Amino acid sequence: MKTVITYGTFDLLHRGHIRLLERAKKLGDYLIVGVTSDDYDRTRGKINVSESLEERIAAIEATHLADKIIIEEYEGQKIDDIKRYNVDIFAIGSDWVGKFDYLKDYCEVIYLERTKGISSSQIRTANRNTKMGIVGNTPDFLAKFQSEDIFVNGIEIIGICTTNIANMNDTIKNLPVVTTDYAELLKHVDAVYLYLDDIDNYSYVKKALENHKHVLCESPIALKAEECTELFALAKKNNCVLVDGIRTAYSTAYSRLLLLLKSGKIGDILDVSVTCTSMKKCLRNKTFFDWGPNALLPVFQILGTNYQTKQFIVKFSDEQKEIDTYTKVNLLYDKASATIKVAKGAKSEGSLVITGTKGYIYVPSPWWKMDYFEVRYENQEENKRYFYQLDGEGIRYELVTFSQIIEQRKDNYYITPEISFAFCQMMEDFIQKKDMIDIS
Ligand code: C2G
């Protein structure tokens, strides 16, 4: 009996995939199909995959071409599989010519002609085609953001609304729509990304939603809890997606960390301590507006938003009295506590530490650009390190998720409206100096 093996993501299974499987099957008597796991695809840079592993497997099963389906989870697995299943032939499409010659030591390697004119990316791009406009005045960051759209199927950044066009790079200057008029930008796009140096995200978000545009807004989306409720209600009414933009939330390492905590790896969670500092200028008039949501994200996602008491400890700037140079927030939960420290113009170790009854998780600085974390125990031999890929500072993952939420209208399970609301409530309390000790 001749055993053939082939691998692939097989997202949105199409004619090209089926033709490949048919020809692979004909090469022998028994066909094994390796379907890549979501994690493995992310590590090899395939971040746009639309369907879950389960959906992709079900589609292959439905073809009745595979005698066995396995999951490909790690680099180097192919050799293990070939040995384990006594594989005679490894077959793969001609887009991989030469890349798998190293398997010739273990079995025959056959490259099959790739079917022209069809691909998963093409289908994904056709399914979604969101024209996006960006709003903001920060040249460096917006240049980075804009350059990430090439990695994202189905989102195209076509315009900018800014009062700082002179300092933007040439690509941005040459976008089809360049304007200082927000209403004008909204006429040309399906969605906006807001990175405002204005304090008031609320009115921009509202205007976009009123015009039936989807919104990805750098957190916080508003500075009052009731405004947040109003915005989500408006989004729902107008069938629009409204998402908090915090890049950390969409990174692979961070989502793995949350899953790991749920599995009880460090026991019951007693404390979350988060620090975010930088020496950069304050963007939105308060350090707490700039950093607060990012620092509060793990607290709210791990311990929930129902804290019992909170206390702000704040040092305002000597030169600009309204700006907080340093803000610390202590939160008390039913059976846990949390501390966040944020600063612009003061420095500390920007780490994330989660204390549990069996062990703790440590994410080194800058934890918000997480690609690595450690689970540590009393017995150091049990410590484990986890590494993940983080490309483009996480912007591309954020955009891919935004695009998928728009297409599939699935809930944004990364940052729920409940968490967005808790951010806004915090901002409101901060402005009103509620529960605040001023150490200026
Ligand atoms: N394919 C094809 N014709 C197309 C598109 C894809 O013949 N128009 C083939 C690919 O060459 C591959 C298989 O279908 O052999 C699956 O393609 P993808 O889902 O794109 O998976 P890929 O990234 O090529 O995974 O470890 C994973 C493998 O290395 C390949």
Side-chain angles (χ1 to χ4, degrees):
M1 187 179 83
K2 249 188 186 174
T3 301
V4 183
I5 199 164
T6 189
Y7 294 86
T9 307
F10 302 106
D11 189 28
L12 306 166
L13 197 77
H14 57 66
R15 187 164 46 84
H17 295 140
I18 292 168
R19 283 197 63 231
L20 182 115
L21 293 175
E22 285 168 350
R23 283 171 295 156
K25 174 116 183 161
K26 281 196 189 133
L27 294 172
D29 315 293
Y30 190 81
L31 177 66
I32 305 176
V33 179
V35 184
T36 49
S37 72
D38 301 328
D39 257 2
Y40 179 53
D41 268 331
R42 274 202 159 203
T43 59
R44 64 191 192 111
K46 272 202 160 184
I47 58 171
N48 286 287
V49 179
S50 289
E51 294 181 306
S52 66
L53 177 62
E54 292 74 21
E55 289 169 317
R56 291 180 283 122
I57 288 176
I60 291 180
E61 271 168 359
T63 67
H64 300 291
L65 288 165
D67 297 293
K68 185 178 182 66
I69 297 178
I70 58 170
I71 299 169
E72 186 182 25
E73 294 186 274
Y74 59 92
E75 179 93 46
Q77 185 183 323
K78 291 188 178 80
I79 294 176
D80 291 346
D81 291 341
I82 289 167
K83 287 185 189 162
R84 180 177 308 140
Y85 300 111
N86 281 321
V87 169
D88 302 287
I89 299 172
F90 169 88
I92 196 106
S94 56
D95 41 328
W96 292 97
V97 167
K99 298 265 169 42
F100 289 109
D101 287 357
Y102 70 91
L103 295 175
K104 285 182 181 166
D105 290 345
Y106 306 92
C107 68
E108 193 181 340
V109 173
I110 298 180
Y111 298 102
L112 298 164
E113 192 61 35
R114 186 183 159 92
T115 307
K116 293 197 177 60
I118 181 138
S119 74
S120 306
S121 332
Q122 235 175 44
I123 303 175
R124 286 190 298 254
T125 310
N127 283 357
R128 312 171 203 153
N129 188 13
T130 304
K131 288 193 169 46
M132 181 179 240
I134 50 182
V135 187
N137 295 319
T138 316
D140 292 349
F141 181 75
L142 291 180
K144 219 181 287 168
F145 190 90
Q146 187 277 328
S147 68
E148 286 289 309
D149 82 334
I150 54 165
F151 300 102
V152 183
N153 296 151
I155 283 200
E156 194 191 351
I157 295 174
I158 62 131
I160 184 165
C161 170
T162 183
T163 51
N164 192 20
I165 194 66
N167 293 312
M168 296 289 166
N169 70 11
D170 287 346
T171 320
I172 290 188
K173 278 183 185 147
N174 290 316
L175 285 173
V177 184
V178 174
T179 176
T180 51
D181 179 0
Y182 185 46
E184 177 63 24
L185 179 78
L186 288 175
K187 280 187 205 153
H188 298 274
V189 298
D190 313 301
V192 282
Y193 169 65
L194 306 176
Y195 190 87
L196 304 175
D197 43 19
D198 200 301
I199 306 176
D200 189 17
N201 280 338
Y202 164 77
S203 59
Y204 283 79
V205 175
K206 188 172 173 183
K207 195 156 185 179
L209 294 174
E210 281 170 348
N211 285 280
H212 299 264
K213 311 298 176 188
H214 306 293
V215 181
L216 173 64
C217 174
E218 206 60 30
S219 261
I221 59 173
L223 299 177
K224 283 189 191 135
E226 66 174 23
E227 288 177 349
C228 179
T229 307
E230 181 198 333
L231 292 176
F232 276 103
L234 181 58
K236 196 165 181 197
K237 179 172 153 248
N238 286 355
N239 202 17
C240 290
V241 171
L242 168 59
V243 174
D244 261 274
I246 301 179
R247 291 179 288 292
T248 315
Y250 306 94
S251 76
T252 316
Y254 181 72
S255 12
R256 288 298 161 266
L257 184 151
L258 293 183
L259 280 179
L260 211 122
L261 286 174
K262 285 214 177 88
S263 75
K265 263 251 176 342
I266 60 166
D268 296 336
I269 296 157
L270 297 180
D271 185 75
V272 180
S273 293
V274 196
T275 306
C276 300
T277 70
S278 81
M279 298 307 276
K280 280 194 195 138
K281 209 174 133 265
C282 197
L283 185 73
R284 291 197 209 90
N285 188 40
K286 300 264 186 283
T287 296
F288 191 60
F289 299 165
D290 284 2
W291 269 134
N294 204 328
L296 288 164
L297 180 77
V299 175
F300 289 159
Q301 287 188 319
I302 295 167
L303 299 176
T305 54
N306 279 330
Y307 50 87
Q308 293 177 337
T309 61
K310 78 162 172 317
Q311 180 189 47
F312 291 113
I313 299 168
V314 186
K315 158 88 176 74
F316 286 96
S317 155
D318 296 332
E319 296 83 40
Q320 287 168 283
K321 294 267 182 274
E322 73 286 358
I323 296 184
D324 51 324
T325 310
Y326 169 81
T327 290
K328 177 173 173 168
V329 190
N330 290 320
L331 295 173
L332 191 67
Y333 285 80
D334 184 19
K335 290 190 170 65
S337 61
T339 303
I340 71 149
K341 282 193 271 183
V342 298
K344 283 203 167 173
K347 240 5 229 176
S348 187
E349 165 75 9
S351 60
L352 165 63
V353 182
I354 304 157
T355 309
T357 49
K358 292 185 187 157
Y360 70 100
I361 288 186
Y362 170 68
V363 192
S365 177
W367 75 266
W368 55 92
K369 292 182 186 172
M370 191 186 305
D371 56 1
Y372 162 78
F373 62 87
E374 281 183 48
V375 182
R376 293 180 176 175
Y377 297 98
E378 174 99 345
N379 176 4
Q380 291 186 8
E381 281 168 19
E382 292 172 32
N383 289 3
K384 239 182 136 180
R385 296 163 172 214
Y386 294 81
F387 298 87
Y388 298 89
Q389 192 81 13
L390 179 79
D391 293 311
E393 289 193 18
I395 296 169
R396 70 186 67 163
Y397 310 118
E398 182 178 65
L399 278 173
V400 165
T401 308
F402 183 57
S403 159
Q404 290 176 345
I405 295 171
I406 292 174
E407 184 207 351
Q408 300 165 8
R409 294 302 157 95
K410 58 181 180 194
D411 288 338
N412 172 16
Y413 55 86
Y414 291 82
I415 305 176
T416 59
E418 183 193 332
I419 290 180
S420 302
F421 179 85
F423 291 152
C424 297
Q425 182 70 64
M426 274 277 174
M427 302 302 135
E428 184 174 337
D429 291 350
F430 186 92
I431 294 167
Q432 291 176 357
K433 301 200 171 182
K434 197 174 160 202
D435 309 318
M436 187 181 287
I437 300 173
D438 186 343
I439 57 165
S440 315

